[in-house]
Amino acid sequence: MKKMLVLILCTISLSFPSFKTSSSIKANVRTADVIIYGGTSAAITAAVQVKKMGKSVIIVSPDSHLGGLSSGGLGFTDTGNKEVIGGLSREFYQRLYAHYQDPEAWNWQKKEEYGNKGQGTPAIDGANRTMWIFEPHAAEKVFEDFVKEYKLVVFRNEWLDRSSNGIVKTNGSIGSIKTLSGNVYKGKMFIDATYEGDLMALAGVSYHVGREANSVYNEKWNGIQAGIFHHGHHFKSKISPYKIVGNTSSGLLPEISSEKLRSNGTGDNKIQAYCFRMCLSNHPENRISFPKPVGYDAARYELVARVFDAGWRELFDKYDAIPNRKTDTNNHGPFSTDYIGKNYDYPEASYERRQQIIKDHELYQKGLLYFLQNDPSVPADVHEQMQKWGLPKDEFKDNGNWPHQLYIREARRMIGDFVMTEADALGKTVVPKPIGMGSYTLDSHNIQRYVTEDGYVQNEGDIGVHPDKPYSIAYGSILPKESECNNLLVPVCVSSSHIAYGSIRMEPVFMILGQSAATAAVLSIEKKIAPQRLSYTDLEATLIKFGQKLTL
């Protein structure tokens, strides 16, 4: 067993499977009390919690690298009120604090030179011994340390067979799942900890993709939101969308939809834009100039050139500093790293199509970086600043220094026992059976780029509404309806409306919900009942015992 575990931990490959079920390899049947599908931060905290409670667990991960976005470039943590982050989620950030107390962690700058800027509190919080801002490789090390310390069994590059052959389900209960390699995983409880919700969907659980109309849950900020500009990620000047300025017959520039916009508050099947959270470096000895991607076409970035011509100069506002002279660079402005409108089919797409979408996002962003660093149309002041930046040599070394995880901000969302809505996520209600807390802004990135009625380009869907106070997340939001599946928990694609998910979808919250899902799974096994029938009194007491924050 120890030899197998070492092999699992050391053999990490970025190669993708053929996405076809293999018939030539002899299948293994692997059994544990709890089977977790996914390699996200929620998957790791869930597995650790299962082991803490004395049960066996297997992580079946389609990813080679563990931690999802937390180790994939999102180092400037979206935390909100940090007091509501407890349990293993808080321990993750405490371990990062310990990492950065070691002088050897500071390779490219001295610790005292780091600006220590976080979101709402200092990045390095000595009083609470937490570090909220970090490098990708440091986060991945924490997740791998969890694996080693708790002797977690992890099978990587294992992709769920999403055909009807991929699951055995009897009387509403999953007996086993199968991967494309032919391996079978049997368990008493299952947890879908993926960003996409593939196991949830295969199990026949109800879910939604896209924005609900405001009328569905009596909300204000769901559905189409044209003319609402909460974050400044819109065109502040009148910019022509046409190849020849003002000439409608010349055709639209790239990255603009010709679809006519529907009325505000209307639902649709569109989802907020994805991007890579880029880790960049400005240290001369640790940066690589942005490569010119294959198929690069400067014409697709004409819109950003026109934005510069109009006087816009906010390009570097979201080059958020993380240790060692690096950044977590996020989307900012009217034309940025968000690849707007190019991901609508991702949630339901085949593996092959998803890989194509991911590659398209990569080429779009690499092309944008190359354009900003090299194109003669870029203003001199911007061009000069861009020369200072590049990809870090010491991050994502097995992937060309590019993040291994696309930011899947939203995909499927379960329709479960309880649906979290706008009022819940704004702290206006008291939800039943809380299992954790959130506090971040209702945050949706842009969803469409369109032509306005007066003939200019504009973005739509960028919403940011602050909650009144931190809010509790209901146990029912991670539970399918019992009639649909009685041994599955879903801590990432939780049961919520589009706009409520905009707050819930933060990495600290996913870790919180992963731990709570695992707690419920183990208690249900011990009591031999479905999670939907679990005594909340027992669940609440156990969550509090393990440090979870449930209410203010």
Side-chain angles (χ1 to χ4, degrees):
M1 180 63 185
K2 289 184 178 180
K3 289 183 179 179
M4 182 180 73
L5 183 62
V6 170
L7 181 64
I8 293 166
L9 295 176
C10 296
T11 307
I12 298 178
S13 169
L14 282 184
S15 61
F16 294 108
S18 64
F19 300 127
K20 294 181 180 178
T21 303
S22 173
S23 58
S24 59
I25 302 174
K26 183 179 179 181
N28 295 298
V29 177
R30 296 157 176 162
T31 303
D33 292 315
V34 180
I35 304 296
I36 299 170
Y37 183 60
T40 61
S41 60
I44 305 305
T45 57
V48 170
Q49 182 65 13
V50 172
K51 291 299 290 285
K52 277 177 169 283
M53 294 181 72
K55 298 298 182 183
S56 61
V57 61
I58 294 174
I59 297 176
V60 183
S61 174
D63 308 304
S64 297
H65 293 272
L66 301 179
L69 256 294
S70 286
S71 61
L74 204 167
F76 196 73
T77 307
D78 298 320
T79 49
N81 186 324
K82 297 169 179 63
E83 292 182 10
V84 305
I85 299 172
L88 289 169
S89 185
R90 177 166 286 266
E91 182 178 338
F92 171 77
Y93 299 104
Q94 289 172 332
R95 286 178 177 235
L96 285 165
Y97 176 87
H99 170 81
Y100 284 108
Q101 295 306 300
D102 184 349
E104 293 187 4
W106 298 89
N107 300 317
W108 304 109
Q109 72 179 156
K110 295 179 180 178
K111 181 181 176 183
E112 55 268 24
E113 294 173 349
Y114 175 60
N116 201 26
K117 176 187 175 184
Q119 294 200 45
T121 63
I124 306 173
D125 184 351
N128 292 294
R129 302 182 66 81
T130 50
M131 178 64 163
W132 304 102
I133 312 298
F134 48 86
E135 298 160 280
H137 77 267
E140 187 168 6
K141 181 180 183 300
V142 171
F143 289 120
E144 293 294 348
D145 286 346
F146 275 133
V147 170
K148 293 173 185 175
E149 291 172 27
Y150 288 92
K151 298 181 173 59
L152 302 180
V153 178
V154 184
F155 293 96
R156 308 176 197 237
N157 230 353
E158 280 280 77
W159 299 76
L160 180 67
D161 181 349
R162 291 163 61 192
S163 75
S164 59
N165 296 321
I167 191 168
V168 174
K169 187 179 173 192
T170 306
N171 297 326
S173 180
I174 302 171
S176 66
I177 60 173
K178 186 171 71 173
T179 57
L180 293 178
S181 62
N183 293 319
V184 173
Y185 297 88
K186 292 184 175 181
K188 298 172 184 174
M189 290 286 162
F190 291 78
I191 296 174
D192 185 339
T194 63
Y195 293 123
E196 295 84 3
D198 284 341
L199 176 55
M200 171 189 75
L202 185 62
V205 172
S206 298
Y207 60 87
H208 187 81
V209 176
R211 295 182 282 189
E212 298 91 350
N214 275 326
S215 59
V216 175
Y217 296 117
N218 191 28
E219 295 175 310
K220 179 179 180 181
W221 300 112
N222 211 331
I224 294 170
Q225 297 286 334
I228 307 299
F229 307 124
H230 286 166
H231 288 118
H233 305 319
H234 63 280
F235 292 86
K236 299 177 182 179
S237 303
K238 292 183 176 181
I239 305 292
S240 175
Y242 302 107
K243 293 177 181 177
I244 300 174
V245 174
N247 186 341
T248 58
S249 63
S250 64
L252 291 172
L253 288 171
E255 322 309 342
I256 302 175
S257 172
S258 61
E259 184 178 334
K260 184 175 175 59
L261 205 66
R262 297 162 64 192
S263 59
N264 274 13
T266 304
D268 57 24
N269 62 354
K270 298 176 173 62
I271 54 177
Q272 56 182 310
Y274 298 167
C275 70
F276 286 93
R277 293 290 286 253
M278 299 180 302
C279 183
L280 306 181
S281 171
N282 68 356
H283 196 292
E285 297 178 26
N286 192 40
R287 70 170 184 237
I288 303 167
S289 295
F290 301 122
K292 183 178 182 179
V294 176
Y296 171 75
D297 180 7
R300 75 185 304 190
Y301 306 106
E302 170 64 20
L303 261 182
V304 75
R306 293 184 187 182
V307 172
F308 285 136
D309 288 344
W312 184 80
R313 289 295 186 277
E314 300 173 17
L315 180 66
F316 301 102
D317 284 11
K318 284 301 292 177
Y319 278 48
D320 292 314
I322 63 175
N324 285 308
R325 291 180 60 171
K326 298 175 190 173
T327 70
D328 169 359
T329 297
N330 194 14
N331 178 83
H332 184 75
F335 189 102
S336 185
T337 57
D338 278 0
Y339 197 21
I340 299 172
K342 308 298 182 177
N343 62 343
Y344 299 155
D345 61 330
Y346 180 90
E348 302 275 37
S350 66
Y351 290 135
E352 293 88 349
R353 172 59 184 150
R354 284 183 186 167
Q355 290 305 318
Q356 182 183 357
I357 292 169
I358 292 168
K359 189 65 177 177
D360 288 346
H361 279 70
E362 178 183 338
L363 295 179
Y364 165 78
Q365 279 187 240
K366 285 183 173 178
L368 176 60
L369 291 169
Y370 184 83
F371 178 90
L372 294 172
Q373 197 164 65
N374 296 280
D375 197 88
S377 70
V378 175
D381 56 324
V382 176
H383 179 269
E384 181 181 355
Q385 285 294 316
M386 278 301 296
Q387 305 315 303
K388 300 176 183 179
W389 295 100
L391 299 177
K393 293 179 181 178
D394 62 347
E395 297 288 353
F396 311 117
K397 290 189 280 189
D398 59 355
N399 197 40
N401 310 104
W402 190 256
H404 46 69
Q405 175 67 58
L406 182 65
Y407 195 171
I408 309 302
R409 288 190 172 94
E410 180 180 17
R412 299 182 179 101
R413 286 173 283 105
M414 180 169 65
I415 303 173
D417 247 15
F418 182 91
V419 180
M420 293 285 293
T421 63
E422 179 182 295
D424 302 320
L426 288 175
K428 297 180 182 297
T429 64
V430 177
V431 303
K433 302 179 180 179
I435 56 166
M437 298 189 72
S439 64
Y440 202 74
T441 301
L442 300 185
D443 184 16
S444 173
H445 280 232
N446 278 308
I447 292 173
Q448 300 180 83
R449 179 175 291 132
Y450 67 102
V451 180
T452 64
E453 290 185 358
D454 54 353
Y456 297 102
V457 62
Q458 193 51 270
N459 297 333
E460 180 275 320
D462 180 39
I463 300 298
V465 181
H466 293 283
D468 295 343
K469 58 186 177 182
Y471 60 90
S472 297
I473 299 170
Y475 178 42
S477 70
I478 67 170
L479 288 175
K481 296 181 179 70
E482 186 177 359
S483 60
E484 293 181 346
C485 194
N486 58 30
N487 66 338
L488 174 69
L489 297 106
V490 185
V492 177
C493 293
V494 299
S495 179
S496 69
S497 70
H498 154 74
I499 198 58
Y501 194 74
S503 173
I504 296 168
R505 65 178 180 82
M506 304 304 157
E507 288 290 302
V509 178
F510 286 156
M511 286 187 263
I512 290 167
L513 297 181
Q515 182 178 8
S516 293
T519 304
V522 171
L523 290 176
S524 297
I525 290 171
E526 290 176 346
K527 297 180 183 301
K528 298 181 181 180
I529 56 175
Q532 292 87 348
R533 299 178 180 234
L534 183 64
S535 162
Y536 178 68
T537 301
D538 293 340
L539 177 60
E540 179 185 37
T542 308
L543 292 175
I544 292 172
K545 172 186 172 183
F546 284 99
Q548 293 282 53
K549 308 291 185 181
L550 307 183
T551 59
L552 282 176

